[in-house]
Amino acid sequence: MKKAKMMVFALIGMMTKSMSNNASDKMVFAKDLPAEVKAFVQQNFPRQSVAYAKMKSTSDTVYEVSLNDGTEVVFNQDGAWSMVDCKSEAVPASLMPASMPSFLGSLFSSNKVVKLNRTINGYVAALSNGYSMKLDRMGMAA
């Protein structure tokens, strides 16, 4: 009996802690997103609209935006994108360095970039065939 009570209290404590970790997440209306985020969506996904957006506040503010086609985009506090996940569709070429599409096309001609992460040193591109590749800032193999 004593063990059962302790397990219940431990479970309640863990649930409370996990809920408090998400306390910094806040839903955001599309109209309240930073101007840079709205401009990015209009320019790179003109046929899509924001389905929902979430602001995460930790040491930095991050915006996680989902579009009505399922595309997910993460923005930093300055409104610059850090990740674009188009699921099974191709990431717009406008988000890649000019040499990246042709470089990847020469290696993986029948595949497209479906997810792109921007890192300090360049990019990580996930392809429709399941492969991922690290690329430098110019879009070439790192």
Side-chain angles (χ1 to χ4, degrees), residues 64-141:
E64 294 179 357
V65 176
S66 290
L67 305 181
N68 61 357
D69 70 344
T71 297
E72 296 177 359
V73 187
V74 176
F75 298 90
N76 66 20
Q77 64 188 17
D78 299 323
W81 69 272
S82 60
M83 188 276 300
V84 175
D85 185 354
C86 294
K87 308 300 180 202
S88 60
E89 297 299 317
V91 170
S94 59
L95 301 179
M96 303 177 206
S99 59
M100 187 183 291
S102 59
F103 172 72
L104 290 174
S106 68
L107 297 174
F108 306 99
S109 60
S110 62
N111 292 283
K112 54 191 169 196
V113 176
V114 294
K115 183 176 181 180
L116 193 61
N117 288 313
R118 190 161 39 183
T119 66
I120 293 171
N121 298 323
Y123 300 88
V124 177
L127 304 174
S128 56
N129 63 0
Y131 288 117
S132 287
M133 185 171 219
K134 289 184 180 181
L135 303 160
D136 64 17
R137 290 181 183 163
M138 299 302 292
M140 306 299 279

Side-chain angles (χ1 to χ4, degrees), residues 20-42:
S20 68
N21 286 344
N22 292 334
S24 62
D25 292 0
K26 177 180 152 188
M27 295 303 289
V28 178
F29 289 108
K31 66 179 179 64
D32 297 328
L33 287 169
E36 297 86 1
V37 172
K38 291 189 270 189
F40 175 91
V41 172
Q42 287 176 336

